[in-house]
Amino acid sequence: MSPDEFLQQCDILEAQALAAFAAAEAACDSKQLEAARIEFLGARSGRIKQLQKALGAVPATANPAAGKRFNELKRKVEAGLDGAAERIAMRSRQQAEAQRQRAFDPTVPGTALRLGRLHPITQTIEELKDIMGRLGFAVAEGPEVEDEWHNFEALNIPPEHPARDPLDNFYLATAARCATEIPNGGAPSLNPTEAPPRLLRSQTSTVQIRVMEQMRPPVRVISCGRVYRPDTPDDTHFPMFHQIEGLMVDRDVTMGHLKSTLRLLARMAFAPDVEIRFRPSFFPFTEPSVEVDMTWESGWIEMGGAGMVDPNVLRAVGYDPEVYSGFAFGLGIERICARRHGVTDIRQFFRNDVRFLHQF
Ligand code: PHE
């Protein structure tokens, strides 16, 4: 190959290589650029490699000039490749960023947060308070740790009554008992006989006594809260559950008032056509006493107990039974809540499984 021919080939190759890189760059296509790199700079069969072989055929006298031109060609083509590669990479980054920015659409509605909600039992309590509030009943509270006076004695449940059996109640280890069990422990003046027994209340009827001790008739209150009984857990039992207690005391309160109040409560809490019925029963603190049933689908279900406040209870809180009469009722809140929501196992209320609780 003549020196002129060689130099001409160099010019052509340089122009073609730079044009190929520029085309790849214009398309912002790194694959196209890589193809061009292989075509021109490929280590074994690239066109520049081919031209290098032709350099050997250039006459020796012209060789230094041809070699110089060849090196310059190689440098320029390599620099052209690097430049194009760098600019493609930069533009790709910019395009990805622009794409990311476009992907953020501030008008798309946000992802809703999963907010917590009230426990179904709490929701039921709130509704019952609301319903009874509309019937004129105020809300009263009482402690969950009670003395025997409020849980039994004042409710006409005397010491020998089986309802007071330690096996049927959660009595607390008293301070005095603890003190005697710790060697040299406790205050020296503590004597086991001095500390009155206390227990987790087994019914919200305790609040009847606390309210009547605090105020004179007319009384119209409800109280909702936890009660405790050592029952083995199953579908319908749990050692802790909730009751709603109702109490109304005034002159001339009758069983008719009791029944119409419970009927209104049932109809407002469940459905307008719900019926209730009373079945004779016994509670030490009411006379007469009844079990309260309500219609549910095709049958009757038991909601709790009720009755006219026993004169002994009125006397225990200093009310004159010749002047005042009253009614009281106690209903199971789990039962109400379970019926309303079709829950068949009340233990579910206390498992704290959010997949269950989130349905309400
Ligand atoms: N305290 C009773 C119980 O827990 C229910 C009840 C309350 C009955 C008020 C009569 C009057 O079973």
Side-chain angles (χ1 to χ4, degrees), residues 210-297:
R210 291 195 171 269
V211 167
M212 289 190 285
E213 284 173 337
Q214 294 296 316
M215 64 185 288
R216 308 300 307 165
V219 173
R220 244 192 300 182
V221 292
I222 57 158
S223 187
C224 301
R226 297 188 181 101
V227 299
Y228 302 85
R229 294 176 194 176
D231 288 331
T232 305
D234 63 23
D235 287 7
T236 54
H237 294 87
F238 204 73
M240 183 280 297
F241 59 100
H242 297 74
Q243 286 186 324
I244 172 171
E245 191 83 10
L247 174 69
M248 174 167 173
V249 184
D250 203 348
R251 293 169 194 269
D252 306 320
V253 174
T254 70
M255 204 110 174
H257 296 126
L258 171 62
K259 196 161 192 179
S260 49
T261 302
L262 286 172
R263 188 188 290 117
L264 278 171
L265 172 60
R267 290 185 175 178
M268 292 209 259
F270 293 96
D273 57 347
V274 165
E275 289 296 343
I276 65 160
R277 83 178 172 190
F278 284 174
R279 277 180 295 117
S281 187
F282 174 81
F283 298 101
F285 34 92
T286 46
E287 181 58 36
S289 302
V290 296
E291 301 281 348
V292 186
D293 296 343
M294 53 175 272
T295 47
W296 188 261
E297 276 145 22

Coordinates of all heavy atoms in Angstrom, one line a residue, residues 210-297:
R210 N -72.7 1.4 95.4 CA -71.8 2.6 95.4 C -72.6 3.8 95.0 O -72.4 4.9 95.6 CB -70.6 2.4 94.5 CG -69.6 1.4 95.1 CD -68.3 1.4 94.5 NE -67.4 0.5 95.2 CZ -66.6 0.9 96.3 NH1 -66.7 2.2 96.7 NH2 -65.9 0.0 96.9
V211 N -73.5 3.7 94.0 CA -74.3 4.9 93.6 C -75.3 5.3 94.7 O -75.4 6.4 95.1 CB -75.0 4.6 92.3 CG1 -76.1 5.6 92.0 CG2 -74.0 4.5 91.1
M212 N -76.0 4.3 95.2 CA -77.0 4.6 96.2 C -76.4 5.1 97.5 O -77.1 5.9 98.2 CB -77.9 3.4 96.5 CG -78.8 3.1 95.2 SD -80.1 1.8 95.6 CE -79.1 0.3 95.6
E213 N -75.2 4.7 97.8 CA -74.5 5.2 99.0 C -74.2 6.7 98.8 O -74.0 7.4 99.8 CB -73.2 4.5 99.3 CG -73.4 3.1 99.9 CD -72.2 2.3 100.1 OE1 -71.2 2.5 99.3 OE2 -72.1 1.4 100.9
Q214 N -74.0 7.1 97.6 CA -73.6 8.5 97.3 C -74.8 9.4 97.1 O -74.6 10.6 97.2 CB -72.8 8.5 96.0 CG -71.4 7.8 96.1 CD -70.5 8.4 97.1 OE1 -70.4 9.6 97.2 NE2 -69.9 7.6 98.0
M215 N -75.9 9.0 96.7 CA -77.0 9.9 96.4 C -78.4 9.4 96.8 O -78.6 8.3 97.2 CB -77.0 10.2 94.9 CG -77.3 8.9 94.0 SD -77.2 9.2 92.3 CE -78.7 10.2 92.0
R216 N -79.3 10.4 96.9 CA -80.7 10.1 97.2 C -81.4 9.9 95.9 O -81.1 10.4 94.9 CB -81.3 11.2 98.0 CG -80.5 11.7 99.2 CD -80.3 10.6 100.3 NE -81.5 10.0 100.7 CZ -81.6 8.8 101.3 NH1 -80.5 8.1 101.6 NH2 -82.8 8.3 101.7
P217 N -82.6 9.1 96.0 CA -83.4 9.0 94.8 C -83.9 10.4 94.4 O -84.0 11.3 95.2 CB -84.6 8.1 95.3 CG -84.1 7.5 96.6 CD -83.1 8.4 97.2
P218 N -84.3 10.6 93.1 CA -84.4 9.5 92.1 C -83.0 9.2 91.5 O -82.2 10.0 91.3 CB -85.2 10.2 91.0 CG -85.0 11.7 91.2 CD -84.8 11.9 92.6
V219 N -82.8 7.9 91.3 CA -81.6 7.3 90.7 C -81.9 6.7 89.4 O -82.9 6.0 89.2 CB -81.0 6.2 91.7 CG1 -79.8 5.6 91.0 CG2 -80.7 6.8 93.0
R220 N -81.1 7.1 88.4 CA -81.2 6.4 87.1 C -79.8 6.4 86.5 O -79.3 7.3 86.0 CB -82.1 7.3 86.2 CG -83.4 6.5 85.8 CD -84.1 7.1 84.7 NE -84.6 8.5 85.0 CZ -85.3 9.2 84.2 NH1 -85.7 8.8 83.0 NH2 -85.7 10.5 84.5
V221 N -79.2 5.2 86.7 CA -77.8 5.1 86.2 C -77.6 3.7 85.5 O -78.3 2.8 85.7 CB -76.8 5.1 87.4 CG1 -76.7 6.5 88.0 CG2 -77.0 4.1 88.4
I222 N -76.6 3.7 84.7 CA -76.0 2.5 84.2 C -74.5 2.4 84.5 O -74.0 3.5 84.8 CB -76.2 2.3 82.7 CG1 -75.5 3.5 81.9 CG2 -77.6 2.1 82.3 CD1 -75.1 3.1 80.5
S223 N -74.0 1.2 84.5 CA -72.5 1.1 84.7 C -72.1 0.0 83.8 O -72.6 -1.1 83.9 CB -72.2 0.9 86.2 OG -70.8 0.9 86.3
C224 N -71.0 0.2 83.1 CA -70.5 -0.8 82.2 C -69.1 -1.1 82.6 O -68.3 -0.2 82.9 CB -70.5 -0.3 80.7 SG -72.1 0.1 80.1
G225 N -68.7 -2.3 82.7 CA -67.3 -2.6 83.0 C -67.0 -4.1 83.1 O -67.9 -4.9 82.9
R226 N -65.8 -4.4 83.5 CA -65.3 -5.7 83.6 C -65.7 -6.4 84.9 O -65.8 -5.8 85.9 CB -63.7 -5.7 83.6 CG -63.1 -5.2 82.3 CD -61.6 -5.5 82.3 NE -61.0 -4.9 81.1 CZ -60.4 -3.8 81.1 NH1 -60.2 -3.1 82.2 NH2 -59.9 -3.3 80.0
V227 N -66.0 -7.7 84.8 CA -66.2 -8.5 86.0 C -65.4 -9.8 85.8 O -65.0 -10.1 84.7 CB -67.7 -8.8 86.1 CG1 -68.5 -7.5 86.3 CG2 -68.3 -9.6 85.0
Y228 N -65.2 -10.5 86.9 CA -64.3 -11.6 86.9 C -64.9 -12.8 87.6 O -65.4 -12.7 88.7 CB -63.0 -11.2 87.6 CG -62.3 -10.0 87.0 CD1 -62.7 -8.7 87.4 CD2 -61.3 -10.2 86.1 CE1 -62.1 -7.6 86.8 CE2 -60.7 -9.1 85.5 CZ -61.1 -7.8 85.9 OH -60.4 -6.7 85.3
R229 N -64.8 -13.9 87.0 CA -65.2 -15.2 87.6 C -64.3 -16.3 87.1 O -64.0 -16.4 85.9 CB -66.7 -15.6 87.2 CG -67.7 -14.5 87.7 CD -69.1 -14.8 87.2 NE -69.9 -13.7 87.5 CZ -71.2 -13.6 87.1 NH1 -71.8 -14.6 86.4 NH2 -71.9 -12.5 87.4
P230 N -63.9 -17.2 88.0 CA -63.0 -18.3 87.6 C -63.7 -19.4 86.8 O -63.8 -20.5 87.2 CB -62.5 -18.9 89.0 CG -63.3 -18.2 90.0 CD -64.3 -17.3 89.5
D231 N -64.1 -19.0 85.6 CA -64.7 -19.9 84.7 C -63.7 -20.4 83.7 O -62.8 -19.7 83.3 CB -65.8 -19.3 83.9 CG -67.1 -19.0 84.7 OD1 -67.3 -19.7 85.7 OD2 -67.8 -18.0 84.4
T232 N -63.8 -21.7 83.3 CA -62.9 -22.2 82.2 C -63.3 -21.6 80.9 O -64.5 -21.7 80.5 CB -63.0 -23.7 82.2 OG1 -62.8 -24.3 83.5 CG2 -62.0 -24.3 81.2
P233 N -62.4 -21.0 80.2 CA -62.7 -20.4 78.9 C -63.3 -21.4 77.9 O -62.8 -22.5 77.8 CB -61.4 -19.8 78.4 CG -60.5 -19.8 79.6 CD -60.9 -20.9 80.5
D234 N -64.4 -21.0 77.3 CA -64.9 -21.8 76.1 C -65.6 -20.8 75.2 O -65.5 -19.6 75.4 CB -65.8 -23.0 76.6 CG -67.1 -22.5 77.3 OD1 -67.5 -21.4 77.1 OD2 -67.6 -23.3 78.1
D235 N -66.5 -21.3 74.3 CA -67.1 -20.4 73.3 C -67.9 -19.2 74.0 O -68.0 -18.1 73.5 CB -68.1 -21.1 72.5 CG -67.4 -22.0 71.5 OD1 -66.2 -22.1 71.5 OD2 -68.1 -22.6 70.6
T236 N -68.5 -19.5 75.1 CA -69.3 -18.5 75.8 C -68.9 -18.1 77.1 O -69.6 -17.3 77.8 CB -70.8 -19.1 75.9 OG1 -70.7 -20.4 76.6 CG2 -71.4 -19.4 74.6
H237 N -67.7 -18.6 77.6 CA -67.2 -18.2 78.9 C -65.8 -17.7 78.8 O -65.0 -18.2 78.0 CB -67.3 -19.4 79.9 CG -68.6 -19.8 80.2 ND1 -69.3 -20.7 79.4 CD2 -69.5 -19.5 81.2 CE1 -70.5 -20.9 80.0 NE2 -70.6 -20.2 81.0
F238 N -65.5 -16.7 79.7 CA -64.1 -16.2 79.8 C -64.0 -15.7 81.3 O -65.0 -15.2 81.8 CB -63.9 -15.1 78.8 CG -62.4 -15.0 78.5 CD1 -61.8 -15.9 77.7 CD2 -61.7 -13.9 78.9 CE1 -60.4 -15.7 77.3 CE2 -60.4 -13.7 78.6 CZ -59.7 -14.7 77.8
P239 N -62.8 -15.9 81.9 CA -62.7 -15.5 83.3 C -62.9 -14.0 83.5 O -63.1 -13.5 84.7 CB -61.3 -15.9 83.7 CG -60.8 -16.8 82.6 CD -61.6 -16.5 81.4
M240 N -62.8 -13.2 82.5 CA -63.1 -11.8 82.6 C -64.1 -11.5 81.5 O -63.9 -11.9 80.3 CB -61.8 -11.0 82.4 CG -62.0 -9.5 82.5 SD -62.6 -8.7 81.0 CE -61.3 -9.0 79.8
F241 N -65.2 -10.7 81.8 CA -66.1 -10.3 80.7 C -66.7 -9.0 81.2 O -66.3 -8.4 82.2 CB -67.1 -11.4 80.4 CG -68.0 -11.8 81.6 CD1 -69.3 -11.3 81.7 CD2 -67.5 -12.7 82.5 CE1 -70.1 -11.7 82.8 CE2 -68.4 -13.1 83.6 CZ -69.6 -12.6 83.7
H242 N -67.6 -8.5 80.4 CA -68.2 -7.1 80.7 C -69.7 -7.2 80.9 O -70.4 -8.0 80.3 CB -67.9 -6.2 79.5 CG -66.5 -5.9 79.3 ND1 -65.7 -6.9 78.7 CD2 -65.7 -4.9 79.5 CE1 -64.4 -6.4 78.6 NE2 -64.4 -5.2 79.1
Q243 N -70.2 -6.4 81.8 CA -71.6 -6.3 82.0 C -72.1 -4.9 81.9 O -71.3 -3.9 82.1 CB -71.9 -6.8 83.5 CG -71.9 -8.3 83.6 CD -72.3 -8.7 85.0 OE1 -72.1 -8.1 86.0 NE2 -73.0 -9.9 85.1
I244 N -73.3 -4.7 81.6 CA -73.9 -3.4 81.7 C -75.0 -3.6 82.8 O -75.8 -4.5 82.8 CB -74.6 -2.9 80.4 CG1 -75.4 -1.6 80.7 CG2 -75.4 -3.9 79.7 CD1 -75.9 -0.9 79.5
E245 N -74.9 -2.7 83.8 CA -75.8 -2.7 85.0 C -76.7 -1.5 84.8 O -76.2 -0.5 84.4 CB -75.0 -2.6 86.3 CG -75.7 -2.9 87.5 CD -75.8 -4.3 87.8 OE1 -75.1 -5.1 87.2 OE2 -76.6 -4.7 88.8
G246 N -78.0 -1.8 85.1 CA -78.9 -0.6 85.1 C -79.6 -0.5 86.4 O -79.9 -1.6 87.1
L247 N -79.8 0.7 86.9 CA -80.5 0.8 88.2 C -81.4 2.1 88.1 O -81.0 3.1 87.7 CB -79.5 1.0 89.3 CG -80.1 1.3 90.7 CD1 -80.8 0.1 91.3 CD2 -79.0 1.8 91.7
M248 N -82.7 1.9 88.5 CA -83.6 3.0 88.6 C -84.3 2.9 89.9 O -84.9 1.9 90.2 CB -84.6 3.0 87.5 CG -85.6 4.1 87.6 SD -86.5 4.3 86.1 CE -87.8 5.5 86.6
V249 N -84.2 3.9 90.8 CA -84.9 3.9 92.0 C -85.7 5.3 92.2 O -85.1 6.3 91.9 CB -84.0 3.8 93.2 CG1 -84.8 3.7 94.5 CG2 -83.1 2.6 93.1
D250 N -86.9 5.2 92.5 CA -87.8 6.4 92.7 C -89.0 6.0 93.4 O -89.2 4.8 93.7 CB -88.1 7.0 91.3 CG -88.4 8.5 91.4 OD1 -88.6 9.0 92.5 OD2 -88.4 9.1 90.3
R251 N -89.9 6.9 93.6 CA -91.2 6.5 94.1 C -92.0 5.8 92.9 O -91.9 6.2 91.8 CB -92.0 7.7 94.5 CG -91.5 8.4 95.7 CD -92.1 9.8 95.9 NE -91.4 10.6 96.9 CZ -91.6 10.6 98.2 NH1 -92.5 9.9 98.7 NH2 -90.8 11.4 99.0
D252 N -92.7 4.7 93.3 CA -93.6 4.0 92.3 C -92.9 3.5 91.1 O -93.5 3.5 90.0 CB -94.7 5.0 91.9 CG -95.4 5.6 93.1 OD1 -95.7 4.8 94.0 OD2 -95.7 6.8 93.0
V253 N -91.7 3.0 91.2 CA -91.1 2.3 90.1 C -91.6 0.9 90.1 O -91.6 0.2 91.1 CB -89.5 2.3 90.2 CG1 -88.9 1.5 89.1 CG2 -89.0 3.8 90.1
T254 N -92.0 0.4 88.9 CA -92.6 -0.9 88.8 C -91.9 -1.8 87.8 O -91.0 -1.3 87.1 CB -94.1 -0.8 88.3 OG1 -94.1 -0.4 87.0 CG2 -94.9 0.2 89.1
M255 N -92.3 -3.0 87.8 CA -91.8 -4.0 86.9 C -92.1 -3.6 85.5 O -91.4 -4.0 84.5 CB -92.4 -5.4 87.2 CG -91.6 -6.5 86.7 SD -90.9 -7.4 88.1 CE -90.2 -8.8 87.2
G256 N -93.2 -2.9 85.3 CA -93.6 -2.4 84.0 C -92.5 -1.4 83.4 O -92.1 -1.5 82.2
H257 N -91.9 -0.6 84.3 CA -90.8 0.3 83.9 C -89.6 -0.5 83.5 O -88.9 -0.2 82.5 CB -90.5 1.2 85.0 CG -91.6 2.2 85.4 ND1 -92.0 2.3 86.7 CD2 -92.3 3.1 84.7 CE1 -93.0 3.2 86.8 NE2 -93.2 3.7 85.5
L258 N -89.4 -1.6 84.3 CA -88.2 -2.4 84.0 C -88.4 -3.0 82.6 O -87.5 -3.0 81.7 CB -88.1 -3.6 85.0 CG -87.1 -4.7 84.7 CD1 -85.7 -4.1 84.6 CD2 -87.2 -5.8 85.8
K259 N -89.6 -3.6 82.3 CA -89.7 -4.3 81.1 C -89.7 -3.3 79.9 O -89.1 -3.6 78.8 CB -91.1 -5.1 81.1 CG -91.1 -6.1 79.9 CD -92.1 -7.2 80.2 CE -91.9 -8.4 79.2 NZ -92.9 -9.4 79.5
S260 N -90.3 -2.2 80.0 CA -90.3 -1.2 78.9 C -88.9 -0.7 78.6 O -88.6 -0.4 77.5 CB -91.4 -0.1 79.0 OG -91.3 0.5 80.3
T261 N -88.2 -0.5 79.7 CA -86.8 0.0 79.5 C -86.0 -1.0 78.8 O -85.2 -0.7 77.8 CB -86.2 0.3 80.9 OG1 -87.0 1.3 81.6 CG2 -84.8 0.9 80.7
L262 N -86.1 -2.3 79.2 CA -85.3 -3.3 78.5 C -85.7 -3.5 77.1 O -84.9 -3.8 76.2 CB -85.3 -4.6 79.3 CG -84.5 -4.6 80.6 CD1 -84.8 -5.9 81.5 CD2 -83.0 -4.5 80.3
R263 N -87.0 -3.4 76.9 CA -87.5 -3.6 75.5 C -87.0 -2.5 74.6 O -86.5 -2.7 73.5 CB -89.1 -3.6 75.5 CG -89.6 -3.9 74.1 CD -91.1 -3.8 74.0 NE -91.9 -4.7 74.8 CZ -92.7 -4.4 75.8 NH1 -92.8 -3.2 76.2 NH2 -93.3 -5.4 76.4
L264 N -87.0 -1.2 75.1 CA -86.5 -0.1 74.3 C -85.0 -0.3 74.1 O -84.5 -0.1 73.0 CB -86.7 1.2 75.1 CG -88.0 1.9 75.0 CD1 -88.2 3.0 76.0 CD2 -88.2 2.4 73.5
L265 N -84.3 -0.7 75.1 CA -82.8 -1.0 75.0 C -82.6 -2.0 73.9 O -81.8 -1.8 73.0 CB -82.2 -1.4 76.3 CG -80.8 -1.9 76.3 CD1 -79.8 -0.8 75.8 CD2 -80.3 -2.4 77.7
A266 N -83.3 -3.1 74.0 CA -83.1 -4.2 73.0 C -83.4 -3.7 71.6 O -82.7 -4.0 70.6 CB -84.0 -5.4 73.3
R267 N -84.5 -3.0 71.4 CA -84.9 -2.5 70.1 C -84.0 -1.5 69.5 O -83.7 -1.5 68.3 CB -86.4 -2.0 70.2 CG -87.3 -3.1 70.4 CD -88.8 -2.7 70.3 NE -89.6 -3.9 70.5 CZ -90.9 -3.9 70.5 NH1 -91.6 -2.7 70.4 NH2 -91.6 -5.0 70.6
M268 N -83.4 -0.6 70.4 CA -82.5 0.4 69.9 C -81.1 -0.3 69.6 O -80.4 0.1 68.7 CB -82.4 1.5 70.9 CG -83.6 2.3 71.0 SD -83.3 4.0 71.4 CE -83.6 4.1 73.1
A269 N -80.8 -1.3 70.4 CA -79.5 -1.9 70.2 C -79.5 -2.9 69.0 O -78.5 -3.1 68.4 CB -79.0 -2.6 71.5
F270 N -80.6 -3.6 68.8 CA -80.7 -4.6 67.8 C -81.6 -4.3 66.6 O -81.1 -4.0 65.6 CB -81.1 -6.0 68.4 CG -80.1 -6.5 69.4 CD1 -80.2 -6.2 70.8 CD2 -79.0 -7.2 69.0 CE1 -79.3 -6.7 71.7 CE2 -78.1 -7.7 69.9 CZ -78.2 -7.4 71.2
A271 N -82.8 -4.4 66.8 CA -83.8 -4.2 65.7 C -85.1 -3.8 66.2 O -85.5 -4.2 67.3 CB -83.9 -5.5 64.8
P272 N -85.9 -3.0 65.5 CA -87.1 -2.4 66.0 C -88.2 -3.4 66.4 O -89.1 -3.1 67.1 CB -87.6 -1.5 64.9 CG -86.5 -1.4 63.9 CD -85.6 -2.5 64.1
D273 N -88.0 -4.7 65.8 CA -89.1 -5.6 66.1 C -88.7 -6.7 67.1 O -89.3 -7.7 67.3 CB -89.5 -6.3 64.8 CG -88.3 -7.0 64.1 OD1 -87.1 -6.7 64.5 OD2 -88.5 -7.8 63.2
V274 N -87.6 -6.5 67.8 CA -87.1 -7.4 68.8 C -88.1 -7.5 70.0 O -88.6 -6.4 70.4 CB -85.7 -7.0 69.3 CG1 -85.4 -7.8 70.6 CG2 -84.7 -7.3 68.3
E275 N -88.4 -8.7 70.4 CA -89.3 -8.9 71.6 C -88.5 -9.3 72.8 O -87.4 -9.9 72.6 CB -90.4 -10.0 71.3 CG -91.4 -9.6 70.3 CD -92.3 -8.4 70.8 OE1 -92.3 -8.1 72.0 OE2 -93.0 -7.8 69.9
I276 N -88.9 -9.0 74.0 CA -88.2 -9.5 75.1 C -89.2 -10.3 76.0 O -90.5 -10.1 75.9 CB -87.6 -8.5 76.0 CG1 -88.6 -7.5 76.6 CG2 -86.5 -7.7 75.2 CD1 -88.0 -6.8 77.8
R277 N -88.7 -11.2 76.8 CA -89.6 -11.9 77.7 C -88.9 -12.1 79.0 O -87.6 -12.2 79.1 CB -90.1 -13.2 77.1 CG -89.1 -14.4 77.3 CD -89.7 -15.7 76.7 NE -88.6 -16.6 76.8 CZ -88.6 -17.8 76.2 NH1 -89.7 -18.2 75.5 NH2 -87.6 -18.7 76.3
F278 N -89.6 -12.2 80.1 CA -89.1 -12.5 81.4 C -89.4 -13.9 81.8 O -90.5 -14.4 81.6 CB -89.8 -11.5 82.5 CG -89.3 -10.1 82.4 CD1 -89.9 -9.1 83.2 CD2 -88.2 -9.7 81.6 CE1 -89.4 -7.8 83.2 CE2 -87.7 -8.4 81.6 CZ -88.4 -7.5 82.4
R279 N -88.4 -14.5 82.4 CA -88.7 -15.9 83.0 C -88.3 -15.7 84.5 O -87.3 -15.1 84.9 CB -87.7 -16.9 82.4 CG -88.2 -17.5 81.1 CD -87.3 -18.5 80.5 NE -86.0 -17.9 80.2 CZ -84.8 -18.3 80.7 NH1 -84.8 -19.2 81.7 NH2 -83.7 -17.7 80.3
P280 N -89.2 -16.3 85.4 CA -88.9 -16.2 86.8 C -87.5 -16.8 87.2 O -87.1 -17.8 86.6 CB -90.0 -17.1 87.5 CG -91.0 -17.3 86.4 CD -90.3 -17.2 85.1
S281 N -86.9 -16.1 88.1 CA -85.5 -16.5 88.5 C -85.3 -16.1 89.9 O -86.2 -15.7 90.6 CB -84.5 -15.9 87.5 OG -83.2 -16.4 87.8
F282 N -84.0 -16.2 90.3 CA -83.7 -15.8 91.7 C -82.4 -15.0 91.7 O -81.4 -15.5 91.2 CB -83.7 -16.9 92.7 CG -83.2 -16.5 94.0 CD1 -84.1 -15.9 94.9 CD2 -81.9 -16.6 94.4 CE1 -83.6 -15.4 96.2 CE2 -81.4 -16.2 95.6 CZ -82.3 -15.6 96.5
F283 N -82.3 -13.9 92.3 CA -81.1 -13.2 92.7 C -81.3 -12.7 94.1 O -82.4 -12.2 94.4 CB -80.8 -12.0 91.7 CG -80.6 -12.4 90.3 CD1 -81.6 -12.3 89.4 CD2 -79.4 -13.0 89.9 CE1 -81.4 -12.7 88.0 CE2 -79.2 -13.4 88.6 CZ -80.2 -13.3 87.7
P284 N -80.3 -12.8 94.9 CA -80.5 -12.3 96.3 C -80.8 -10.8 96.4 O -81.5 -10.4 97.4 CB -79.1 -12.6 96.9 CG -78.4 -13.6 96.1 CD -78.9 -13.3 94.7
F285 N -80.4 -10.0 95.4 CA -80.6 -8.6 95.6 C -81.8 -8.1 94.8 O -82.0 -6.8 94.7 CB -79.4 -7.9 95.1 CG -78.7 -8.6 93.9 CD1 -79.0 -8.2 92.6 CD2 -77.7 -9.6 94.2 CE1 -78.4 -8.9 91.6 CE2 -77.1 -10.2 93.1 CZ -77.4 -9.9 91.8
T286 N -82.6 -9.0 94.2 CA -83.9 -8.5 93.6 C -85.0 -9.4 94.0 O -84.8 -10.6 94.2 CB -83.8 -8.5 92.0 OG1 -83.2 -9.7 91.6 CG2 -83.0 -7.3 91.5
E287 N -86.2 -8.8 94.1 CA -87.4 -9.6 94.4 C -88.6 -8.9 93.9 O -88.9 -7.8 94.3 CB -87.5 -9.8 95.9 CG -88.7 -10.7 96.4 CD -88.7 -12.1 95.8 OE1 -87.6 -12.6 95.6 OE2 -89.8 -12.5 95.4
P288 N -89.4 -9.4 92.9 CA -89.1 -10.7 92.2 C -87.9 -10.5 91.3 O -87.5 -9.4 90.9 CB -90.3 -10.9 91.4 CG -90.9 -9.6 91.2 CD -90.6 -8.8 92.4
S289 N -87.3 -11.7 90.8 CA -86.2 -11.7 89.9 C -86.6 -12.4 88.6 O -87.4 -13.3 88.6 CB -85.0 -12.5 90.6 OG -84.7 -11.9 91.8
V290 N -86.0 -12.0 87.6 CA -86.2 -12.6 86.3 C -85.0 -12.8 85.5 O -84.0 -12.1 85.7 CB -87.2 -11.8 85.4 CG1 -88.6 -11.7 86.1 CG2 -86.6 -10.4 85.2
E291 N -85.0 -13.7 84.5 CA -84.0 -13.8 83.5 C -84.6 -13.1 82.3 O -85.8 -13.3 82.0 CB -83.8 -15.3 83.1 CG -83.3 -16.2 84.2 CD -81.8 -16.0 84.5 OE1 -81.1 -15.3 83.7 OE2 -81.4 -16.5 85.6
V292 N -83.8 -12.4 81.6 CA -84.3 -11.6 80.4 C -83.9 -12.3 79.1 O -82.7 -12.5 78.9 CB -83.7 -10.2 80.4 CG1 -84.3 -9.3 79.3 CG2 -83.9 -9.5 81.8
D293 N -84.9 -12.6 78.3 CA -84.6 -13.2 77.0 C -85.0 -12.2 75.9 O -85.9 -11.5 76.1 CB -85.4 -14.5 76.8 CG -85.0 -15.6 77.8 OD1 -84.0 -15.5 78.4 OD2 -85.8 -16.6 77.9
M294 N -84.4 -12.3 74.8 CA -84.9 -11.6 73.7 C -84.9 -12.4 72.4 O -84.2 -13.4 72.3 CB -84.1 -10.3 73.4 CG -82.6 -10.5 73.3 SD -81.8 -9.0 72.8 CE -81.9 -9.1 71.1
T295 N -85.8 -12.0 71.5 CA -85.9 -12.9 70.3 C -84.7 -12.6 69.4 O -84.2 -11.5 69.3 CB -87.1 -12.5 69.4 OG1 -87.2 -11.1 69.3 CG2 -88.4 -13.0 70.1
W296 N -84.2 -13.8 68.8 CA -83.1 -13.6 67.9 C -83.4 -14.6 66.8 O -83.5 -15.8 67.0 CB -81.8 -13.9 68.6 CG -80.7 -13.6 67.7 CD1 -80.0 -14.5 66.9 CD2 -80.2 -12.3 67.4 NE1 -79.1 -13.8 66.1 CE2 -79.2 -12.5 66.4 CE3 -80.5 -11.0 67.8 CZ2 -78.5 -11.4 65.9 CZ3 -79.8 -10.0 67.3 CH2 -78.8 -10.2 66.3
E297 N -83.5 -14.1 65.6 CA -83.9 -14.9 64.4 C -85.1 -15.7 64.8 O -86.1 -15.1 65.2 CB -82.7 -15.7 63.9 CG -81.8 -14.8 63.0 CD -80.3 -15.0 63.0 OE1 -79.9 -16.1 63.5 OE2 -79.6 -14.0 62.6

